[in-house]
PDB file of all heavy atoms in Angstrom:
ATOM      1  N   SER A  40      69.123-175.791  -6.701  1.00 85.00           N
ATOM      2  CA  SER A  40      68.232-174.967  -7.462  1.00 85.00           C
ATOM      3  C   SER A  40      67.367-174.085  -6.576  1.00 85.00           C
ATOM      4  O   SER A  40      67.026-172.895  -6.892  1.00 85.00           O
ATOM      5  CB  SER A  40      67.261-175.733  -8.482  1.00 85.00           C
ATOM      6  OG  SER A  40      66.514-176.567  -7.584  1.00 85.00           O
ATOM      7  N   ARG A  41      66.964-174.659  -5.425  1.00 87.00           N
ATOM      8  CA  ARG A  41      66.105-173.813  -4.443  1.00 87.00           C
ATOM      9  C   ARG A  41      66.955-172.686  -3.861  1.00 87.00           C
ATOM     10  O   ARG A  41      66.454-171.600  -3.736  1.00 87.00           O
ATOM     11  CB  ARG A  41      65.789-174.792  -3.298  1.00 87.00           C
ATOM     12  CG  ARG A  41      64.553-175.649  -3.653  1.00 87.00           C
ATOM     13  CD  ARG A  41      64.191-176.456  -2.447  1.00 87.00           C
ATOM     14  NE  ARG A  41      63.068-177.384  -2.793  1.00 87.00           N
ATOM     15  CZ  ARG A  41      62.622-178.419  -2.091  1.00 87.00           C
ATOM     16  NH1 ARG A  41      63.348-178.739  -0.971  1.00 87.00           N
ATOM     17  NH2 ARG A  41      61.700-179.150  -2.392  1.00 87.00           N
ATOM     18  N   ALA A  42      68.293-172.911  -3.611  1.00 91.00           N
ATOM     19  CA  ALA A  42      69.142-171.869  -2.973  1.00 91.00           C
ATOM     20  C   ALA A  42      69.330-170.825  -4.067  1.00 91.00           C
ATOM     21  O   ALA A  42      69.286-169.607  -3.781  1.00 91.00           O
ATOM     22  CB  ALA A  42      70.447-172.409  -2.565  1.00 91.00           C
ATOM     23  N   LEU A  43      69.608-171.242  -5.363  1.00 88.00           N
ATOM     24  CA  LEU A  43      69.837-170.211  -6.407  1.00 88.00           C
ATOM     25  C   LEU A  43      68.570-169.391  -6.701  1.00 88.00           C
ATOM     26  O   LEU A  43      68.616-168.210  -7.117  1.00 88.00           O
ATOM     27  CB  LEU A  43      70.291-170.996  -7.617  1.00 88.00           C
ATOM     28  CG  LEU A  43      71.773-171.436  -7.616  1.00 88.00           C
ATOM     29  CD1 LEU A  43      72.155-172.260  -8.943  1.00 88.00           C
ATOM     30  CD2 LEU A  43      72.802-170.282  -7.429  1.00 88.00           C
ATOM     31  N   ALA A  44      67.370-169.973  -6.619  1.00 88.00           N
ATOM     32  CA  ALA A  44      66.146-169.392  -6.943  1.00 88.00           C
ATOM     33  C   ALA A  44      65.842-168.192  -6.165  1.00 88.00           C
ATOM     34  O   ALA A  44      65.016-167.344  -6.401  1.00 88.00           O
ATOM     35  CB  ALA A  44      65.011-170.380  -6.932  1.00 88.00           C
ATOM     36  N   GLN A  45      66.460-168.153  -4.922  1.00 90.00           N
ATOM     37  CA  GLN A  45      66.275-167.098  -4.013  1.00 90.00           C
ATOM     38  C   GLN A  45      66.915-165.750  -4.549  1.00 90.00           C
ATOM     39  O   GLN A  45      66.472-164.688  -4.150  1.00 90.00           O
ATOM     40  CB  GLN A  45      66.745-167.412  -2.606  1.00 90.00           C
ATOM     41  CG  GLN A  45      66.030-168.412  -1.846  1.00 90.00           C
ATOM     42  CD  GLN A  45      66.668-168.842  -0.646  1.00 90.00           C
ATOM     43  OE1 GLN A  45      67.686-168.250  -0.161  1.00 90.00           O
ATOM     44  NE2 GLN A  45      66.126-169.769   0.079  1.00 90.00           N
ATOM     45  N   TYR A  46      67.903-165.956  -5.359  1.00 87.00           N
ATOM     46  CA  TYR A  46      68.715-164.809  -5.862  1.00 87.00           C
ATOM     47  C   TYR A  46      68.434-164.452  -7.315  1.00 87.00           C
ATOM     48  O   TYR A  46      68.689-163.368  -7.767  1.00 87.00           O
ATOM     49  CB  TYR A  46      70.155-165.049  -5.620  1.00 87.00           C
ATOM     50  CG  TYR A  46      70.489-165.283  -4.126  1.00 87.00           C
ATOM     51  CD1 TYR A  46      70.700-166.558  -3.710  1.00 87.00           C
ATOM     52  CD2 TYR A  46      70.515-164.209  -3.298  1.00 87.00           C
ATOM     53  CE1 TYR A  46      70.951-166.807  -2.363  1.00 87.00           C
ATOM     54  CE2 TYR A  46      70.764-164.430  -1.895  1.00 87.00           C
ATOM     55  CZ  TYR A  46      71.109-165.736  -1.488  1.00 87.00           C
ATOM     56  OH  TYR A  46      71.273-165.905  -0.118  1.00 87.00           O
ATOM     57  N   ILE A  47      68.116-165.455  -8.125  1.00 86.00           N
ATOM     58  CA  ILE A  47      67.952-165.265  -9.584  1.00 86.00           C
ATOM     59  C   ILE A  47      66.665-165.921 -10.128  1.00 86.00           C
ATOM     60  O   ILE A  47      66.120-166.742  -9.385  1.00 86.00           O
ATOM     61  CB  ILE A  47      69.173-165.776 -10.406  1.00 86.00           C
ATOM     62  CG1 ILE A  47      69.332-167.370 -10.063  1.00 86.00           C
ATOM     63  CG2 ILE A  47      70.426-165.150 -10.031  1.00 86.00           C
ATOM     64  CD1 ILE A  47      70.315-168.036 -10.921  1.00 86.00           C
ATOM     65  N   ASP A  48      66.247-165.492 -11.217  1.00 87.00           N
ATOM     66  CA  ASP A  48      65.063-166.136 -11.927  1.00 87.00           C
ATOM     67  C   ASP A  48      65.540-167.505 -12.451  1.00 87.00           C
ATOM     68  O   ASP A  48      66.302-167.609 -13.475  1.00 87.00           O
ATOM     69  CB  ASP A  48      64.584-165.251 -12.940  1.00 87.00           C
ATOM     70  CG  ASP A  48      63.156-165.760 -13.566  1.00 87.00           C
ATOM     71  OD1 ASP A  48      62.603-166.559 -12.988  1.00 87.00           O
ATOM     72  OD2 ASP A  48      62.756-165.124 -14.456  1.00 87.00           O
ATOM     73  N   LEU A  49      65.038-168.589 -11.857  1.00 87.00           N
ATOM     74  CA  LEU A  49      65.572-169.919 -12.219  1.00 87.00           C
ATOM     75  C   LEU A  49      64.501-170.777 -12.556  1.00 87.00           C
ATOM     76  O   LEU A  49      63.419-170.872 -11.885  1.00 87.00           O
ATOM     77  CB  LEU A  49      66.378-170.496 -11.009  1.00 87.00           C
ATOM     78  CG  LEU A  49      66.855-171.878 -11.251  1.00 87.00           C
ATOM     79  CD1 LEU A  49      68.407-171.821 -11.754  1.00 87.00           C
ATOM     80  CD2 LEU A  49      66.848-172.631 -10.037  1.00 87.00           C
ATOM     81  N   GLU A  50      64.601-171.586 -13.589  1.00 85.00           N
ATOM     82  CA  GLU A  50      63.659-172.658 -13.936  1.00 85.00           C
ATOM     83  C   GLU A  50      64.479-174.066 -13.933  1.00 85.00           C
ATOM     84  O   GLU A  50      65.386-174.092 -14.744  1.00 85.00           O
ATOM     85  CB  GLU A  50      62.998-172.423 -15.182  1.00 85.00           C
ATOM     86  CG  GLU A  50      61.937-173.448 -15.540  1.00 85.00           C
ATOM     87  CD  GLU A  50      61.099-173.118 -16.692  1.00 85.00           C
ATOM     88  OE1 GLU A  50      61.047-172.080 -17.236  1.00 85.00           O
ATOM     89  OE2 GLU A  50      60.423-174.051 -17.115  1.00 85.00           O
ATOM     90  N   PHE A  51      64.033-174.885 -13.095  1.00 83.00           N
ATOM     91  CA  PHE A  51      64.633-176.261 -13.082  1.00 83.00           C
ATOM     92  C   PHE A  51      63.859-177.176 -13.988  1.00 83.00           C
ATOM     93  O   PHE A  51      62.763-177.322 -13.920  1.00 83.00           O
ATOM     94  CB  PHE A  51      64.574-176.802 -11.615  1.00 83.00           C
ATOM     95  CG  PHE A  51      65.408-178.006 -11.472  1.00 83.00           C
ATOM     96  CD1 PHE A  51      66.688-178.063 -11.296  1.00 83.00           C
ATOM     97  CD2 PHE A  51      64.736-179.271 -11.398  1.00 83.00           C
ATOM     98  CE1 PHE A  51      67.370-179.247 -11.213  1.00 83.00           C
ATOM     99  CE2 PHE A  51      65.278-180.433 -11.274  1.00 83.00           C
ATOM    100  CZ  PHE A  51      66.688-180.377 -11.156  1.00 83.00           C
ATOM    101  N   LEU A  52      64.695-177.696 -14.951  1.00 78.00           N
ATOM    102  CA  LEU A  52      64.098-178.692 -15.869  1.00 78.00           C
ATOM    103  C   LEU A  52      64.493-180.095 -15.473  1.00 78.00           C
ATOM    104  O   LEU A  52      65.581-180.509 -15.573  1.00 78.00           O
ATOM    105  CB  LEU A  52      64.712-178.414 -17.359  1.00 78.00           C
ATOM    106  CG  LEU A  52      64.316-177.031 -17.812  1.00 78.00           C
ATOM    107  CD1 LEU A  52      65.082-176.840 -19.157  1.00 78.00           C
ATOM    108  CD2 LEU A  52      62.865-176.838 -18.051  1.00 78.00           C
ATOM    109  N   SER A  53      63.587-180.794 -14.948  1.00 76.00           N
ATOM    110  CA  SER A  53      63.821-182.123 -14.407  1.00 76.00           C
ATOM    111  C   SER A  53      63.737-183.122 -15.534  1.00 76.00           C
ATOM    112  O   SER A  53      63.330-182.889 -16.655  1.00 76.00           O
ATOM    113  CB  SER A  53      62.690-182.616 -13.436  1.00 76.00           C
ATOM    114  OG  SER A  53      61.438-182.624 -14.054  1.00 76.00           O
TER     115      SER A  53
END
Side-chain angles (χ1 to χ4, degrees):
S40 64
R41 285 181 181 162
L43 288 172
Q45 294 177 0
Y46 302 101
I47 59 174
D48 188 11
L49 178 95
E50 183 170 347
F51 184 78
L52 301 174
S53 66

